[in-house]
Every structure is written in structure tokens, then in C-alpha cells.
Amino acid sequence: MPDEMGHFGPYGGRFVAETLIAPLAELEAAYTRYLQDSEFVAEFDRDLKYYVGRPSPLYHAERWSRELGGAQVYLKREDLNHTGAHKINNTIGQALLARRMGKQRVIAETGAGQHGVASATVAARFGMQCRVYMGADDIKRQSINVFRMKLLGAEVVPVTSGSRTLKDALNEALRDWVTNVDDTFYIIGTVAGPHPYPAMVRDFQSVIGREARAQCLEQTGRLPDMLVACVGGGSNAMGLFYPFIDDQGVALVGVEAAGDGIATGRHSAPLSAGTPGVLHGNRTYLMQDGDGQIIETHSISAGLDYPGVGPEHAWLKDCGRATYAAVTDDEALAAFHTLTRVEGIIPALESSHALAHAAKLAPTMRRDQIMVVSLSGRGDKDIATVAAREGITL
Amino acid sequence: MHSRIQHRFSELRTARRAGLITFLTAGDPTPAATVPCMHALVRGGADLIELGIPFSDPMADGPIIQRASERALAAGMTLKKVLETVVEFRRDDRVTPVVLMGYLNPVEHWGYESFAEAAHEAGVDGVLLVDLPPEEGDELRQACLARGLDQVLLIAPNSTDERMASVCRAATGFVYYVSVKGVTGGKAVDTTEVKAKVAKLRMLTELPVGVGFGVRTPEQAAQIAGVCDAVIVGSALVEIVEKAGGDTARAATHLQQFVAGLRAAVGAAAAA
């Protein structure tokens, strides 16, 4: 998976305007070539080790596991990466590719700002020009990350069209790319978009799962029983799941954002409550109305506030290899506080969705069972959001 | 069976002039405004109408057509109502070809077979979905062709020779050459580059070649008309509708005047 046209079953593909066909073919050729290139792979591994700080620890959250009274919960600490989230794994890979393709300018879209920061970071390091598109509403929610990107030398462009969030930032980045295809590399931040992005981003992120698999074997002598990760576009989940796909004994659980609750309609859970359609270059589950218009999404977490999801997740859902659940803003917030108080780790609100669902499932499992939860990012960026939500002025 | 599109291009060939294709977003600013504006385009001299299906995420469009889409959706426009608009237009105009232009998702959500049937029944002549390249579009193409609906496809400045050949094989009605790398209403068109690309397309297909994206003025239209079969103008017309601010009579008058100017310029240029 995928097939040569980028299809994961009926999902994925390459649904773009004609002007993007040639650059996507060029990207696919470069990616296919360099994935087999030992020098490229060695440089990527070296950067992950010395620049990102990998491998990230697999941490046994003993106190929290005891409180939950079931499975032993291990946290894959992507929050400890340079820039504070898993996003950097992918932006390093794509920037190395951009450099080999001779592209001097990179663009990116961002929701919570984590991918924007990760893109601005690699652009600074490689001396590339960088422009980040960000929904005007997200800019307000994530002012610290906006400032970080600017410090790193990126130009942050507010997007005021549509719902002024991540999906609109993606539209605007695609418009930039189509206008500047000759010198520009588009660093997509998740496992969505036209082929080859879903497969390429998954491959760059699958270092998460490869490490977790080896670490779990080393620490416990066996594979985990279950993996849990949050799913917006789904890159940290895909990166964790992919190396375990053939391990049928390992349950894969993705957690979407239920916002105010699925029943209210104010959520960001296309796999749980959406239907298949085509957006941003691929066929996948979408939040849409009866006319096929994309509807506004809601989540306390800007990084999960997206109406689509990576096409491989759509496929994993349909074929039953992975299951998907959704947790509300309130549940995610409760998990945010719990982990902070019980383990001394402040998780990102995105990751707090995975933690909230883990807290529901762990007690239903035996004490000798193992659950690995992706702690995809740290929560420093969310402190203002949490304070505001709880009526606290900083 | 000759489609309206084929018939219109053969008339243009006989008249030895390039055609003028005009674009409006259906339902902008209200569903009721569109039919009077379509008739105004025809009175001004439009040879074919492209009717935009509004979409929440118009990725290939510049700000002018994005705003038109937002206005139309805010006024409650849907794909079903776009077809109702064509039905109403057809009561008074049975000859001007109408091509629906938009994005795949509303069509996919409706279902290819039933959409193609409904579009044909409504009097639509062709469909152009910007984000549906031929390799993903076979199923819809079959559904459309079975009902005599043409599937217009795009060629871009960076399409390779091999790619142009395969797109030309899959297209029917006419081929739409996107004259600039960018979104609608963006950069200005470069006539020399267009001329070279159209010459290549002529070797690959018998289909008429329309050229659009970046054509805003009668002068540009005249230049482009000299090197292709039809000039396509969109954002400049949508801007006229926007400036009329909801006054349909005013929008129609200004559209007719502007289109008449384009048509005079296009008519003055000899067909390529």
C-alpha cells in the first residue's frame, strides 16, 4: 500500500488541478529514488539522531498505570523531540528532499503551529526561504507558535477565507504552490494530500513505530497489545501504527476530536461521523453536508481541527485493521490535567485526546497487558488555551 | 448526434473567428441573479457559458472567484439549484452551450450516474471538474459520455508532451489550455508561450482549443483569439457581478457591455 496511483483501496489518489500533476510526478520520482539512496537515508538518520534527539524514550508511566488499574501504559515521548512534537521527523525528511531537488523556497500550512514551527526550523537550518499559511483564527489561538515561526525567519501569512482554520490554510498553500511550482517545495504536514504525500509522510514518521517496537521488545520482551494515538490528519498515528501493521496481535486505535460531542455536530471526527468524499487531492472520509460542501469543524485542539483525515486511516478503518474512537474537549482537558499531575508531563491538547481514550481502555485490560500511547507533542503551546478555558488570566 | 458544443464550434469555424467563452459562478450573489446574467452574457456575444458550481474549498481559484463561491453558498446555492438554473436558462435559450465547471466533491456526493442523468435532463452540455484529472475520472467520463455530456479537460503550461497526448485522448467537446501557472484571475497571460503550446496541441487533437486563466481585457482577448479557437474569460466578469453589489439589473447591463467589448475584440482577430 498504496498502489502506484497512490490508492489505499478506494481512498487516496491524486485529485489535483493539471498544473500540479507535473510537480507531483517530479516529487514522486525524487522520493522513490532517494528512499533507496543509502546516502540520503544515512543523512536523514543522522539528523534524526543529532538534531531531533532521537530515539525518543518509551516511558513506562507506572504511577498512572497503577491509578488506572489495568494495562501497563507506555508513552512514546515525541514531545521530547526538538521543537516539541513529532512534526519535525517529517519536515527534516522533506527538507532534505527539497534540497536534493534544488528547491530554494518551502511553503507549509499549519493548524496548531507545530508543523509551521517544524517547517520554519528546517528552513532556517538549511537556509531556505519559508512561508507558512495559517488560518486567521488559529493565529489568535496560537500566538506563541506564530512568534516562534517569525523568530525562525519564516513569513506567516494569515488566511481569512472560508472557516479561517487549517483546511483554508491548506487551500492557500496549494494556491501558492500552483503559482510558484518551479522553485517551491510544498511541505505537507500530515498523511493527507495528493499522492505521494500520504505515503511519503507516513514513511518519514514511521521512525516512531520502528523505535517503539524495538523499545517495547527490549523493555518488556514482547510486543504491545495495543497502540493508541490521536488522529487529526493522522501523521503521528500512521507513523506509530505502520511498523505494526502486520503484527495482527497488536490492536491499533486512533482517537479523533469529538469537540462538544459527536451528537452536537460541533466536532472534527470524520472517521467516526463523516462520509467518503474528495478534498485536498485525495479521497477519504470528510465532514460534509448533503450538497458535498465541507462543513466547519470544531476542536479545542487546533491541530485536530480538520474536516478530513489521511486516506490510509480511511482504508484501515474500512478493512478493520484499526479502530477509531472520539473524545470530547472536556475529556481531553481532564486527561491533560491528569497526566500533568500524575506523571509530571504536560501533554499537547492533541495528544491529550489519545490519553483520554487510553484512560478509558486501560482499566478494561489485564495488568500484564501493554498499551503504547503516542505522546505526540508537549503542551507548552496550549497553556494559554487551557487557562482561558478555565477562566484564568495569565 | 451533434452536441451543442460541437455545433457551436463548427459555426465558429464557418464564420472564421474565435469563440468567446464566459464564466460566472452560479448563485452569485443569489440563486435568482444567475439566469438574467447568463442571458446578458449571450446578448453581449458570448458563444458558450461556463457556469461555476460553488464549492466551500475552491483550491484552484483566486480571491475573486473564491468570494463569489462564498456569496453563492451563503445564499443557499447547491448543485441541485445549479441544475435548476440551467433548466430556467434553457426555457429561453436552446442553443448556447453550457458547461458546468467546479470541483469533484459535490458531484461525487450526488453520485456520478444520477448526477450525469440530471445534468443531461437539465440541458447541460459538458462538465469540467478542476480537481479530476483523467486518470481518476474514468467512471464519471463513462457516465457523462453515455448521456452525451462532454468532459472538458485541462492542459497546463507544465504538462509534458506525453501527458498532453493522454489528456487529449480522454477529452471531449474542447480542450481547455490553462495559460498561466497559477490560480484563476492571477498573472497575465503570455501570448507567445500560448501560441507555441496551442501549436503542439493541434498536432495531438482535432478538438477545439480554448485558452483561459489570466485573460482580463479586450486587448488580451484579441491577442489570444489570434492563436486559438476560443478565449475564456472568468474573473473579470465575476468582478463585475461583485461590484454590482446585489443589483441584478445593473450586473446584467454591465456584463452585456463588457462582453460586447470582448466579443468585438475577439471577432476582429482572425481565427487561428
Side-chain angles (χ1 to χ4, degrees), chain A residues 43 46 51 68 104 124-125 141 149 160-161 165 180 182 211 218 239 247-249 268 301 303 324 354 381 385-386 393:
Chain A
E43 188 176 1
R46 209 159 48 235
Y51 189 66
L68 292 171
Q104 278 306 310
R125 176 158 177 261
R141 290 199 268 193
M149 288 184 264
T160 54
S161 57
T165 58
N180 302 293
D182 295 333
E211 284 177 6
E218 189 197 318
D247 300 313
Q248 292 297 333
S268 305
S301 135
Y324 295 87
K381 69 181 174 62
T385 304
V386 173
T393 314

Side-chain angles (χ1 to χ4, degrees), chain A residues 233-285:
Chain A
S235 70
N236 90 87
M238 220 42 249
L240 178 64
F241 293 174
Y242 191 62
F244 291 91
I245 290 271
D246 294 330
D247 300 313
Q248 292 297 333
V250 182
L252 312 177
V253 181
V255 186
E256 296 189 297
D260 291 346
I262 296 288
T264 67
R266 282 175 48 78
H267 60 83
S268 305
L271 289 169
S272 307
T275 51
V278 172
L279 178 70
H280 293 150
N282 65 109
R283 182 178 284 121
T284 186
Y285 280 84

Side-chain angles (χ1 to χ4, degrees), chain A residues 5 7 13-15 17-19 22 162 167 171 175 178-179 181-182 277-278 283 288-294, chain B residues 54-59 61 66 70 78-79 105-106 108-109 130-131 133 135-136 154 156 158-159 163 181-182 187:
Chain A
M5 305 273 287
H7 295 129
R14 189 176 278 172
F15 295 87
E18 186 61 25
T19 313
K167 84 172 172 73
N171 291 335
R175 291 179 189 122
V178 88
T179 308
V181 284
D182 295 333
V278 172
R283 182 178 284 121
Q288 54 186 328
D289 68 11
D291 187 41
Q293 306 293 340
I294 308 308
Chain B
F55 184 48
S56 52
D57 293 81
M59 290 152 288
D61 285 300
Q66 286 173 44
E70 285 181 16
T78 61
L79 180 51
N105 200 52
E108 172 143 327
H109 197 71
V130 178
D131 57 349
E135 54 270 53
E136 300 281 3
L154 302 172
N158 56 357
S159 300
R163 174 86 190 163
K181 290 177 202 159
K187 306 177 212 172

Side-chain angles (χ1 to χ4, degrees), chain A residues 5-315:
Chain A
M5 305 273 287
H7 295 129
F8 301 89
Y11 303 108
R14 189 176 278 172
F15 295 87
V16 293
E18 186 61 25
T19 313
L20 291 181
I21 294 290
L24 285 167
E26 185 194 2
L27 174 62
E28 186 186 357
Y31 171 62
T32 309
R33 175 180 157 201
Y34 287 114
L35 196 66
Q36 313 294 330
D37 180 298
S38 55
E39 204 180 301
F40 177 88
V41 173
E43 188 176 1
F44 181 52
D45 288 347
R46 209 159 48 235
D47 276 356
L48 289 181
K49 183 172 178 186
Y50 295 108
Y51 189 66
V52 177
R54 304 204 70 94
S56 67
L58 182 71
Y59 165 70
H60 184 191
E62 285 182 73
R63 189 161 171 238
W64 195 39
S65 300
R66 253 197 321 277
E67 279 200 2
L68 292 171
Q72 300 307 306
V73 179
Y74 286 74
L75 303 176
K76 182 58 177 162
R77 298 290 308 273
E78 293 300 301
D79 61 316
L80 294 176
N81 292 342
H82 178 43
T83 73
H86 72 292
K87 294 291 185 186
I88 190 92
N89 303 326
N90 168 51
T91 60
I92 295 251
Q94 292 199 45
L96 289 174
L97 210 49
R99 206 169 56 168
R100 278 169 174 72
M101 292 171 73
K103 309 282 183 186
Q104 278 306 310
R105 177 176 183 265
V106 297
I107 56 171
E109 84 293 333
T110 197
Q114 292 304 100
H115 174 59
V117 167
S119 298
T121 298
V122 296
R125 176 158 177 261
F126 292 129
M128 291 165 168
Q129 196 190 334
C130 178
R131 176 182 268 199
V132 179
Y133 290 95
M134 189 166 183
D137 287 358
D138 288 339
I139 285 183
K140 267 187 255 164
R141 290 199 268 193
Q142 302 288 344
S143 56
I144 291 173
N145 269 344
V146 173
F147 189 57
R148 285 169 81 194
M149 288 184 264
K150 288 180 178 168
L151 286 172
L152 289 159
E155 181 191 358
V156 181
V157 179
V159 176
T160 54
S161 57
S163 61
R164 306 151 68 95
T165 58
L166 179 55
K167 84 172 172 73
D168 309 284
L170 230 148
N171 291 335
E172 209 54 40
L174 283 166
R175 291 179 189 122
D176 180 315
W177 198 29
V178 88
T179 308
N180 302 293
V181 284
D182 295 333
D183 69 342
T184 297
F185 189 104
Y186 179 15
I187 303 183
I188 293 187
T190 191
V191 286
H195 180 60
Y197 282 101
M200 179 173 74
V201 176
R202 171 200 73 196
D203 291 346
F204 287 141
Q205 289 293 4
S206 59
V207 64
I208 302 171
R210 280 197 307 276
E211 284 177 6
R213 199 171 185 284
Q215 289 164 325
C216 190
L217 285 170
E218 189 197 318
Q219 291 178 31
T220 72
R222 62 185 194 84
L223 291 178
D225 299 283
M226 182 184 283
L227 309 177
V228 182
C230 66
V231 176
S235 70
N236 90 87
M238 220 42 249
L240 178 64
F241 293 174
Y242 191 62
F244 291 91
I245 290 271
D246 294 330
D247 300 313
Q248 292 297 333
V250 182
L252 312 177
V253 181
V255 186
E256 296 189 297
D260 291 346
I262 296 288
T264 67
R266 282 175 48 78
H267 60 83
S268 305
L271 289 169
S272 307
T275 51
V278 172
L279 178 70
H280 293 150
N282 65 109
R283 182 178 284 121
T284 186
Y285 280 84
L286 298 175
M287 307 256 304
Q288 54 186 328
D289 68 11
D291 187 41
Q293 306 293 340
I294 308 308
I295 56 178
E296 290 200 15
T297 53
H298 169 79
S299 170
I300 189 172
S301 135
L304 301 182
D305 206 345
Y306 180 66
V309 62
E312 194 162 8
H313 285 296
W315 169 242

Side-chain angles (χ1 to χ4, degrees), chain B residues 229-247:
Chain B
D229 300 301
V231 180
I232 306 163
V233 181
S235 296
L237 302 173
V238 173
E239 200 165 33
I240 289 172
V241 174
E242 180 168 58
K243 282 184 177 155
D247 180 341

